[in-house]
């Protein structure tokens, strides 16, 4: 009994510390008597989407925030809270079930149209609301100010520092002066959206914890936005360099070798943006969760072994979470920088005109 109580106290202490890290306190409630710790399941659960915002489990009772389910089925529209699946017998409510992949099914098949408010959707709205509050608040401070006014301090000054750094060193350095004002709102929005989403994803409790940029659907949409910006507003020289570049004729005809490669690059560039952001954020969260699981797995081997090994794991976990804060900024910066570079290349002047101008 004494050993068991020490075990419980140790896990409780670690659980309190974990509330300062980007992991749910659910891991702290897992022990050998309850169930075996499934690391793969925890990683997928943390990085995946869901129809509820799971917080923790206490004595096998799930504590979660139910989210609205909005689906169109064979009987028409159905709107209800996701908690109805837990209350319904065998998890079936109005002919609908929730499968292991988190999809709502009717007769074993996914519903035709699912407009449910999932965890990632709610996190997306939270990030958007936070961005509105931040930038509308900053805009209110600047109202009535001019160039001779005192520089902002505190939080407004912090946001201005971030904004001017991205604008001067990233956006303005990659895009010519003629087009920079047109693309600046988009690029600044992308930077702050990714950065705030990454930071909120490191917060373990609601309204944080959802790994928004670790979802490939989100990074796909961001990459598509950059792709559209590049290809819709690109000038004629950009398209000429794709379909008829300034290379020896035998690389263009009769077999259009280089044009095919350049056209392929139109799709590979946004694909690289999508995968880079997704892989870095997903991988960072997966490593942090795995290091946390080591604490509880090794502690099941005994207090002596668990205390020694988990202490090292705990230090590594703290280091990883500090590193994740840096990665949150770097990945937002890299995505914005590459988007700005791609946009700048779509507005480059003809090589001959540039050479003659320099001469």
């Amino acid at each position: 009994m004494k050993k068991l109580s020490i075990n419980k106290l140790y896990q409780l202490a670690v659980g309190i510390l974990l509330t300062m890290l980007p992991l749910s306190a659910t891991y702290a409630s897992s022990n050998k008597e309850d169930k075996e710790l499934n690391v793969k399941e925890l990683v997928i659960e943390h990085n995946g989407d869901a129809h509820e915002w799971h917080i923790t489990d206490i004595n096998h009772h799930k504590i979660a925030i139910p989210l609205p389910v909005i689906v169109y089925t064979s009987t028409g529209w159905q709107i209800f809270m996701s908690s109805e699946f837990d209350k319904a017998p065998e998890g079936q409510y109005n002919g609908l079930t929730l499968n292991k992949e988190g999809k709502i099914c009717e007769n074993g098949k996914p519903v035709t149209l699912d407009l449910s408010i999932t965890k990632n959707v709610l996190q997306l709205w939270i990030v958007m609301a936070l961005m509105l509050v931040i930038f509308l608040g900053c805009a209110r401070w600047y109202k009535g100010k001019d160039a001779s006014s005192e520089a902002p301090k505190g939080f407004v000054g912090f946001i201005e520092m971030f904004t001017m750094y991205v604008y001067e060193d990233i956006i303005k350095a990659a895009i010519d002066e003629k087009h920079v004002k047109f693309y600046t709102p988009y690029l600044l929005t992308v930077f702050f959206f990714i950065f705030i989403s990454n930071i909120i994803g490191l917060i373990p409790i609601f309204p944080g914890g959802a790994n928004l940029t670790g979802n490939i659907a989100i990074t796909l949409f961001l990459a598509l936005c950059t792709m559209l910006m590049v290809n819709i507003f690109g000038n004629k020289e950009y398209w000429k360099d794709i379909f008829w570049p300034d290379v020896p004729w035998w690389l263009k005809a009769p077999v259009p070798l280089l044009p095919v490669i350049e056209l392929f690059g139109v799709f590979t560039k946004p694909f690289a943006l999508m995968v880079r952001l997704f892989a870095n954020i997903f991988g960072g969260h997966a490593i942090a969760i795995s290091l946390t699981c080591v604490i509880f797995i090794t502690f099941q081997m005994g207090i002596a072994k668990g205390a020694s090994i988990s202490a090292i794991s705990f230090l590594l976990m703290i280091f990883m979470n500090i590193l994740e804060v840096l990665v949150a900024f770097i990945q937002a910066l890299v995505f914005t920088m590459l988007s700005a570079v791609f946009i700048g290349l779509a507005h480059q002047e003809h090589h001959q005109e540039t050479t003659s101008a320099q001469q």
Side-chain angles (χ1 to χ4, degrees):
M1 292 296 294
K2 185 176 180 181
K3 181 178 180 180
L4 183 60
S5 62
I6 295 175
N7 190 329
K8 292 292 185 180
L9 288 173
Y10 178 85
Q11 294 192 22
L12 178 60
V14 175
I16 294 172
L17 291 173
L18 286 177
T19 59
M20 300 182 292
L21 303 172
L23 297 168
S24 170
T26 303
Y27 313 141
S29 64
S30 299
N31 53 49
K32 188 173 182 179
E33 290 79 12
D34 295 333
K35 59 180 180 179
E36 293 294 331
L37 197 60
N38 191 326
V39 180
K40 180 180 178 181
E41 181 181 340
L42 291 178
V43 171
I44 295 175
E45 179 184 350
H46 176 77
N47 290 284
D49 202 0
H51 286 275
E52 63 181 9
W53 201 300
H54 185 262
I55 298 176
T56 188
D57 291 335
I58 298 178
N59 295 328
H60 301 287
H61 293 289
K62 179 172 62 177
I63 298 177
I65 300 174
L67 299 174
V69 174
I70 307 171
V71 293
Y72 184 78
T73 65
S74 59
T75 59
W77 287 99
Q78 293 195 39
I79 302 176
F80 55 91
M81 300 302 290
S82 60
S83 56
E84 297 295 336
F85 286 118
D86 298 327
K87 301 176 184 177
E90 298 181 357
Q92 184 172 354
Y93 180 78
N94 287 348
L96 301 177
T97 56
L98 192 64
N99 65 11
K100 295 180 179 180
E101 288 75 27
K103 296 182 179 180
I104 298 176
C105 299
E106 182 181 22
N107 298 324
K109 298 180 180 180
V111 295
T112 306
L113 185 60
D114 188 350
L115 301 178
S116 302
I117 310 301
T118 62
K119 182 173 69 172
N120 281 343
V121 173
L122 181 58
Q123 183 75 91
L124 180 63
W125 290 357
I126 292 173
V127 172
M128 292 170 58
L130 188 58
M131 290 178 66
L132 286 174
V133 170
I134 291 174
F135 293 108
L136 289 179
C138 292
R140 182 180 300 176
W141 186 93
Y142 284 102
K143 188 176 181 179
K145 302 289 193 305
D146 54 27
S148 61
S149 300
E150 184 181 0
K153 298 179 181 179
F155 183 74
V156 178
F158 177 76
I159 296 298
E160 181 183 304
M161 177 195 68
F162 257 108
T163 304
M164 294 308 298
Y165 169 72
V166 176
Y167 175 71
E168 293 289 343
D169 294 349
I170 304 299
I171 302 175
K172 202 173 179 180
I175 304 176
D176 61 276
E177 188 175 352
K178 181 180 178 182
H179 300 93
V180 67
K181 289 185 178 180
F182 178 77
Y183 292 103
T184 294
Y186 165 71
L187 292 171
L188 284 176
T189 301
V190 166
F191 171 80
F192 281 103
F193 173 79
I194 296 175
F195 179 65
I196 294 175
S197 298
N198 291 346
I199 292 297
I200 290 182
L202 297 175
I203 301 173
I205 56 177
F206 182 84
N211 191 10
L212 198 58
T213 46
N215 187 311
I216 200 166
I218 300 295
T219 60
L220 171 62
F221 176 77
L222 294 173
L224 285 177
C225 288
T226 296
M227 179 182 175
L228 293 176
M229 282 284 183
V230 170
N231 295 285
I232 291 178
F233 301 107
N235 60 17
K236 62 180 182 180
E237 297 300 333
Y238 166 73
W239 290 107
K240 178 181 178 299
D241 286 341
I242 292 177
F243 292 107
W244 199 257
D246 293 328
V247 295
W249 65 269
W250 51 272
L251 290 174
K252 300 180 286 187
V255 179
L257 179 61
L258 202 58
V260 170
I261 295 175
E262 291 292 338
L263 185 62
F264 188 68
V266 172
F267 302 97
T268 56
K269 289 176 182 177
F271 179 79
L273 285 177
M274 173 190 71
V275 174
R276 179 183 287 106
L277 179 59
F278 162 75
N280 280 279
I281 301 302
F282 183 93
H285 282 244
I287 293 173
I289 294 172
S290 300
L291 289 173
T292 305
C293 292
V294 170
I295 296 176
F296 303 102
I297 292 175
T298 56
F299 197 78
Q300 292 173 1
M301 301 165 56
I303 296 179
K305 295 180 179 179
S308 58
I309 299 176
S310 62
I312 299 173
S313 179
F314 185 71
L315 293 175
L316 290 174
M317 185 174 58
I318 293 176
F319 170 77
M320 277 301 304
N321 281 274
I322 295 174
L323 185 63
E324 279 296 292
V325 175
L326 180 61
V327 170
F329 171 73
I330 291 176
Q331 291 306 314
L333 199 66
V334 169
F335 191 98
T336 307
M337 180 183 65
L338 292 178
S339 297
V341 169
F342 296 155
I343 291 172
L345 292 174
H347 291 281
Q348 61 182 344
E349 299 297 330
H350 195 274
H351 300 297
Q352 295 180 353
E353 294 177 357
T354 305
T355 304
S356 61
Q358 292 176 350
Q359 294 176 351

